[in-house]
């Protein structure tokens, strides 16, 4: 048995961008005890959890979600009240160049985790069984690409276009089937593009900030007119907690910030913020570093979320506007250049052993 006072929850992918934001939020509240299950791929960074690493309610365990035996052992050890499943390969460009890891983690990994959770849940009784939740964290990309108008609702049909979104769509379908066929108490969320502190600098916003201040070019795919609907990561984390704690079983929820922007608008806004906060020494604007590069193959044109269900039924709404969230984010990257340097240099892989000695 866990030596945590109950209740504990498993968070998979907790060393990633969104998972670490969720863990920082939950540990700050002191209400849950968190077991962070993460394989620590290139995207897993325990330095993002430095503020909670020594908290008595937090435990990290380096496990691949494809490892059934390790998962079974962990369920037996901690008897969690639920699972919030974020572990995934998450970057679309990587999925185009090498889809194998996406099939393995996003599909086989979700299958393995579902089976481990089901075996554990079947042996529960009473309120522990009734209240158990398997919360699958997914993406709006499973719905495909929108034209100039319209919004994704929870009723949208699936039309994934990239290897990443196809693998996430497959995992969504597995979760749905495990509820429908076996009665596993699942809930699911599909969210739009996140941005904020601690995001790996391969994604648009942190990449552009890093390249701009490093004097590198700002590569815009195609014409830069693709549209994404941006949400600050802490707003996503708050929505995840609400759904995990309050959603009825079997429900799905769309989460988005109602912040549709073309990629060019995003990059121009970033450049304007950087021109204000850390001007170039030659007096030129960072916009002069923009270049157009070849488009992403199969590039989805537009995503936009109708988040009215979660607003109406669970009372969630984002705290940040795009203006406040982006300025907060730019300031964070300027003030935490060491975090980015450690990622770029690979030093983040040694952060835990350097600061705390080896641990599991
Ligand atoms: P991320 O790439 O930053 O983090 C993923 C984490 O999962 C990493 O810590 C990694 O080490 C871990 N992981 C990968 N494979 C694993 C495995 N086999 N076993 C255990 N751990 C493994 O991703 P993110 O941006 O934080 O996204 C988290 C989740 O949210 C993903 O499921 C993603 O599909 C979804 N999502 C992301 C966004 C976004 O804009 N970033 C939007 C909507 C949904
Ligand atoms: O919509 C949710 C999804 O958002 C999540 O499910 C994914 O995990 C997450 O990575 C994100 O996917 P995108 O492909 O939208 O994000 P990315 O940051 O890679 O790209 C955002 C947009 O910017 C996209 O239209 C491609 C473009 N882009 C991206 C990069 C890295 C560029 O123009 N230049 C770039 O260098």
């Amino acid at each position: 048995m866990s030596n945590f006072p109950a209740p504990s929850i498993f968070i998979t992918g907790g060393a990633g961008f969104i998972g670490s934001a969720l863990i920082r939020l939950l540990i700050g509240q002191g209400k849950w005890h968190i077991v962070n299950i993460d394989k620590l791929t290139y995207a897993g960074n325990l330095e993002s959890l430095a503020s909670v690493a020594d908290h008595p309610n937090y435990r990290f365990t380096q496990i691949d979600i494809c490892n059934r035996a390790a998962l079974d052992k962990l369920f037996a050890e901690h008897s969690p009240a639920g699972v919030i499943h974020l572990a995934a390969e998450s970057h679309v460009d990587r999925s185009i160049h090498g889809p194998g890891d996406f099939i393995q983690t996003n599909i086989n990994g979700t299958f393995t985790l579902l089976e481990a959770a089901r075996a554990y849940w079947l042996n529960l009784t009473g309120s522990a069984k009734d209240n158990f939740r398997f919360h699958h964290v997914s993406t709006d990309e499973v719905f495909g690409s929108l034209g100039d108008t319209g919004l994704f609702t929870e009723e949208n049909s699936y039309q994934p276009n990239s290897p990443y979104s196809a693998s996430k769509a497959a995992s969504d379908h597995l979760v749905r089937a495990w509820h429908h066929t076996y009665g596993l108490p699942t809930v699911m969320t599909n969210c739009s593009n996140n941005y904020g502190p601690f995001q790996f600098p391969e994604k648009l916003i942190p990449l552009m900030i890093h390249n701009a201040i490093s004097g590198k070019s700002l590569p815009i795919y195609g014409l830069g007119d693709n549209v994404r609907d941006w949400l600050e990561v802490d707003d996503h984390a708050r929505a995840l907690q609400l759904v995990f704690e309050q959603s009825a079983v079997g429900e799905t929820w769309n989460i988005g910030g109602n912040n549709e922007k073309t990629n060019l608008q995003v990059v121009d806004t970033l450049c304007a913020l950087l021109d204000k906060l850390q001007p170039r020494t030659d007096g030129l604007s960072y916009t002069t570093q923009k270049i157009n590069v070849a488009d992403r193959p199969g590039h989805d044109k537009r995503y936009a979320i109708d988040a009215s269900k979660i607003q109406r039924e669970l009372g969630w709404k984002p705290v940040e506007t795009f203006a406040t969230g982006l300025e907060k984010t730019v300031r964070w990257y300027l003030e935490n250049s060491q975090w980015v340097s450690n990622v770029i240099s690979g030093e983040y892989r040694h952060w835990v052993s350097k600061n705390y000695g080896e641990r599991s």
Side-chain angles (χ1 to χ4, degrees):
M1 281 293 283
S2 164
N3 55 8
F4 288 154
S8 63
I9 38 183
F10 286 180
I11 294 186
T12 72
F17 167 51
I18 301 169
S20 65
L22 179 63
I23 290 176
R24 291 190 302 272
L25 171 75
L26 296 178
I27 290 290
Q29 297 169 354
K31 177 173 168 186
W32 294 103
H33 308 274
I34 307 296
V35 180
N36 174 11
I37 301 172
D38 200 296
K39 179 182 176 182
L40 296 185
T41 67
Y42 80 94
N45 186 347
L46 291 176
E47 197 176 341
S48 308
L49 290 160
S51 61
V52 301
D54 291 324
H55 197 286
N57 289 355
Y58 170 74
R59 181 151 323 155
F60 169 67
T61 170
Q62 186 168 2
I63 286 179
D64 186 331
I65 55 161
C66 301
N67 183 342
R68 175 68 192 270
L71 291 173
D72 286 345
K73 191 162 169 276
L74 215 59
F75 273 104
E77 202 181 327
H78 292 287
S79 307
V83 176
I84 308 181
H85 174 37
L86 297 102
E89 289 293 336
S90 72
H91 194 48
V92 174
D93 291 330
R94 283 181 191 259
S95 82
I96 295 167
H97 295 293
D101 287 346
F102 290 71
I103 305 302
Q104 178 63 5
T105 286
N106 300 359
I107 304 179
N108 288 331
T110 300
F111 160 69
T112 308
L113 185 65
L114 279 166
E115 279 294 79
R118 184 167 75 92
Y120 163 74
W121 169 75
L122 277 172
N123 281 322
L124 295 175
T125 52
S127 63
K129 186 166 192 175
D130 295 342
N131 296 335
F132 183 80
R133 291 290 179 275
F134 184 103
H135 179 166
H136 179 59
V137 178
S138 193
T139 169
D140 60 357
E141 299 201 11
V142 297
F143 300 126
S145 184
L146 289 165
D148 290 338
T149 58
L151 301 171
F152 294 133
T153 71
E154 288 80 1
E155 275 69 51
N156 253 90
S157 59
Y158 275 43
Q159 205 164 44
N161 290 317
S162 71
Y164 162 70
S165 55
S167 68
K168 288 297 291 187
S171 66
D172 289 13
H173 291 320
L174 292 176
V175 171
R176 182 187 150 81
W178 259 240
H179 172 60
H180 188 79
T181 302
Y182 303 115
L184 186 72
T186 63
V187 295
M188 183 150 66
T189 46
N190 294 84
C191 189
S192 63
N193 284 62
N194 284 214
Y195 68 98
F198 300 103
Q199 188 170 30
F200 198 90
E202 62 184 353
K203 306 287 201 292
L204 180 72
I205 287 177
L207 178 84
M208 292 295 165
I209 298 171
H210 173 70
N211 278 13
I213 59 179
S214 309
K216 295 182 184 163
S217 55
L218 309 178
I220 314 279
Y221 296 169
L223 297 173
D225 57 354
N226 300 67
V227 173
R228 297 292 182 265
D229 180 357
W230 294 94
L231 180 68
E232 209 275 335
V233 68
D234 295 324
D235 277 324
H236 187 192
R238 282 185 278 272
L240 293 177
Q241 180 179 14
L242 216 50
V243 169
F244 177 74
E245 292 179 353
Q246 296 187 18
S247 171
V249 165
E251 289 290 325
T252 68
W253 305 88
N254 279 3
I255 306 171
N258 201 17
N259 287 311
E260 283 186 58
K261 304 285 171 208
T262 66
N263 294 334
L264 267 181
Q265 284 173 322
V266 172
V267 175
D268 285 338
T269 311
L270 285 172
C271 288
L273 281 166
L274 288 168
D275 287 340
K276 177 177 87 171
L277 298 172
Q278 189 171 301
R280 279 172 45 144
T281 48
D282 60 8
L284 292 175
S285 168
Y286 286 101
T287 54
T288 56
Q289 292 169 229
K290 288 191 295 186
I291 57 162
N292 288 93
V293 298
D295 208 352
R296 172 186 280 175
H299 198 173
D300 283 340
K301 189 64 197 281
R302 175 172 165 261
Y303 306 140
I305 282 276
D306 176 351
S308 57
K309 178 181 171 187
I310 188 170
Q311 296 195 359
R312 193 176 55 247
E313 296 186 22
L314 298 183
W316 173 85
K317 64 175 194 306
V319 170
E320 302 287 352
T321 64
F322 192 61
T324 61
L326 207 61
E327 174 146 358
K328 180 178 122 177
T329 302
V330 171
R331 285 184 189 278
W332 186 89
Y333 277 94
L334 294 178
E335 285 159 15
N336 291 275
S337 54
Q338 193 60 48
W339 182 90
V340 181
S341 309
N342 287 351
V343 171
I344 305 287
S345 70
E347 187 59 28
Y348 71 111
R349 296 191 164 281
H350 311 297
W351 186 85
V352 173
S353 51
K354 245 175 70 185
N355 287 276
Y356 292 100
E358 292 300 338
R359 54 163 61 184
S360 64

